[in-house]
Amino acid sequence: MSQIQTFFTNYFSKIEWDQVISSWLGNIIQIVITVLILSIVRRLLTRSVDFYYDKAERFEKNPARQQTLRTLIQNFIQYTYYFLVIYSVLAILGVPVATLMAGAGIASVAIGIGAQGLVNDIVNGFFILLEHQFDVGDTVLINDYEGEISKLGIRTTVIKDFNGDLHFISNRNITDVTNRSRYPIRCDIDLRIYPDSDADQIEAVLKACMQEEQPNPLLAQDPIYLGVFRDSNRFNLIYRVRLFAVNGMQLDVEGKYYSKLTEALDRAGISQPESQFNTSMAMLQAREEKFNENV
């Protein structure tokens, strides 16, 4: 035991602690200064990109594309920053970075095979951008995920669905894309009518109702009055009005104008069959009242 203590005592006594501490303090100071400078440069570049694209979006007809380009450039700045920080820290600590990089060439084949997916992600991400398949803010259908493009990165694309869930999809897995944000969305408003209803009177009432809100920011073009049809079950008659909603506003258009046009027909004295929903609710209410009476 005494021999071990003697060995460590002699070993540590030979170490020049002043030089070691000063050397490490010098390295730490260099690392802090280097990281600080790189962080400042990164922040300046990021703010410059934000300033440029904030100004460009005022005159750009497609702001979503500008947002996509901004995101990709910022991702590139971020990855470059991380690389330079790691390289600088290793160099300051005395790690032979050049030797490591040269030696990495020997293992490049193995690393390349492992990073094949990453390369595919990056390449496919650039093709998505160059081919203008979709932009941030577009409503798309990708791999059975439907929602709005929240972020388009070099490696992944993020979709926010209508439930608020975020789906991270690797760019290499994006094969078939349905973009629902390039053109106005068709909305068919089907109004149930009786067989003896006057189609001309219905059309006149509907046109007068739609004229009350012209111009309408929710609609991309004038309504089309298609006339009388049978519904999908082939049992009931409907009068169909075709609207073209501004992209992303289709749900608002369907909800608003189904109610508005139905009320217009009611005010004009045109009788309408009860919807299946109202009939079902009436049946449930009658059952509940009967149940309460029995109780």
Side-chain angles (χ1 to χ4, degrees):
M1 188 69 178
S2 59
Q3 294 180 351
I4 297 176
Q5 292 178 352
T6 303
F7 171 77
F8 280 106
T9 302
N10 295 332
Y11 176 78
F12 285 110
S13 63
K14 295 180 180 179
I15 298 177
E16 297 181 0
W17 291 105
D18 293 338
Q19 294 183 1
V20 172
I21 294 174
S22 62
S23 176
W24 276 99
L25 285 176
N27 290 339
I28 292 174
I29 293 174
Q30 289 184 48
I31 291 173
V32 171
I33 294 176
T34 301
V35 173
L36 181 62
I37 293 175
L38 290 175
S39 299
I40 294 174
V41 173
R42 175 196 177 190
R43 181 170 297 183
L44 290 175
L45 290 175
T46 301
R47 288 188 176 182
S48 299
V49 171
D50 289 335
F51 175 78
Y52 173 80
Y53 281 103
D54 286 339
K55 188 175 181 180
E57 285 178 0
R58 301 176 186 175
F59 308 97
E60 178 66 31
K61 296 182 179 179
N62 189 359
R65 181 168 177 80
Q66 296 297 322
Q67 181 63 30
T68 303
L69 291 171
R70 175 195 296 197
T71 303
L72 287 176
I73 294 175
Q74 289 178 342
N75 285 341
F76 177 77
I77 293 174
Q78 181 179 2
Y79 293 141
T80 304
Y81 165 77
Y82 290 146
F83 172 79
L84 291 177
V85 167
I86 295 173
Y87 182 92
S88 300
V89 170
L90 292 177
I92 292 172
L93 293 177
V95 177
V97 181
T99 304
L100 290 177
M101 295 182 66
I106 302 175
S108 60
V109 176
I111 296 176
I113 295 175
Q116 184 176 3
L118 174 62
V119 175
N120 290 337
D121 286 337
I122 296 174
V123 171
N124 202 28
F126 277 110
F127 273 110
I128 289 173
L129 177 63
L130 292 175
E131 294 175 358
H132 199 192
Q133 296 180 14
F134 50 79
D135 295 313
V136 174
D138 285 357
T139 300
V140 298
L141 175 63
I142 299 175
N143 298 355
D144 297 329
Y145 295 116
E146 183 176 5
E148 180 180 302
I149 297 295
S150 175
K151 181 179 179 181
L152 174 58
I154 296 178
R155 290 188 56 253
T156 59
T157 294
V158 183
I159 295 179
K160 181 179 181 181
D161 65 18
F162 302 114
N163 295 324
D165 297 328
L166 292 178
H167 303 281
F168 294 81
I169 305 175
S170 298
N171 288 335
R172 65 177 179 274
N173 294 327
I174 298 177
T175 54
D176 298 324
V177 178
T178 301
N179 192 326
R180 295 175 175 169
S181 295
R182 295 296 168 81
Y183 300 100
I185 303 297
R186 188 184 73 184
C187 302
D188 286 341
I189 309 297
D190 293 339
L191 306 169
R192 295 180 62 185
I193 61 175
Y194 286 111
D196 58 351
S197 300
D198 187 345
D200 294 334
Q201 182 187 6
I202 292 175
E203 182 172 334
V205 171
L206 297 180
K207 285 184 177 180
C209 178
M210 295 300 298
Q211 286 294 329
E212 294 176 358
E213 297 189 6
Q214 296 299 329
N216 193 322
L218 296 179
L219 300 180
Q221 63 184 67
D222 294 335
I224 300 176
Y225 304 90
L226 296 177
V228 179
F229 293 85
R230 288 193 179 274
D231 63 8
S232 58
N233 296 322
R234 310 297 297 174
F235 293 121
N236 303 307
L237 290 180
I238 59 173
Y239 190 97
R240 177 169 295 168
V241 181
R242 177 161 293 173
L243 305 177
F244 290 89
V246 174
N247 199 280
M249 305 301 296
Q250 55 269 24
L251 295 179
D252 295 336
V253 167
E254 289 179 356
K256 175 181 179 179
Y257 285 101
Y258 184 84
S259 175
K260 186 176 181 65
L261 296 179
T262 300
E263 292 175 357
L265 293 178
D266 185 63
R267 289 195 303 269
I270 300 175
S271 300
Q272 305 167 72
E274 283 189 343
S275 66
Q276 295 179 0
F277 175 77
N278 291 334
T279 302
S280 300
M281 292 300 295
M283 292 175 62
L284 289 174
Q285 185 176 3
R287 289 179 183 177
E288 184 177 354
E289 292 176 356
K290 186 177 181 180
F291 176 79
N292 292 334
E293 291 176 357
N294 294 332
V295 173

